Amino acid sequence: MSILYLLIPLSLILLGLAVWAFFWAVKHDQFEDLEGPAYRILFDDDENDRPAERPRSGEARDDSDDGGESPAAGRDDEGR
C-alpha cells in the first residue's frame, strides 16, 4: 500500500511530461503536414541522390607524361 504513495505522484509527473510534449509538438508545427512525407518518398528524384561516377579500376588514367614505366614495374626482373 505504501508503494502507491510513490507510484501515483510518479505517474502524474509522467502524465504532465506527456501533455507538455504534445502541446510543444503542436506549437512547433510537428503535425502540420502528415501526408507530405508519404508522397515525397513515392515521387523522389533518384537522379539527384546518385553519387558522382568514379572511374573504374581498369580505366584509371595515368597523369605522368614521362612516357616511361613506373619505378616498381621493373623491380622483379632486376634480380634474375
Side-chain angles (χ1 to χ4, degrees), residues 26-72:
V26 170
K27 182 180 178 182
H28 288 93
D29 296 329
Q30 297 295 315
F31 302 112
E32 184 69 28
D33 183 19
L34 296 177
E35 295 179 2
Y39 289 119
R40 196 174 317 136
I41 197 168
L42 294 174
F43 300 113
D44 187 26
D45 292 333
D46 291 335
E47 295 174 5
N48 295 335
D49 296 337
R50 291 182 186 158
E53 292 185 18
R54 298 182 196 165
R56 297 181 186 155
S57 60
E59 297 176 2
R61 65 176 210 183
D62 186 17
D63 289 336
S64 61
D65 292 331
D66 59 358
E69 293 179 325
S70 65

Side-chain angles (χ1 to χ4, degrees), residues 2-11:
S2 64
I3 193 69
L4 291 178
Y5 294 125
L6 176 67
L7 292 178
I8 290 175
L10 186 63
S11 65

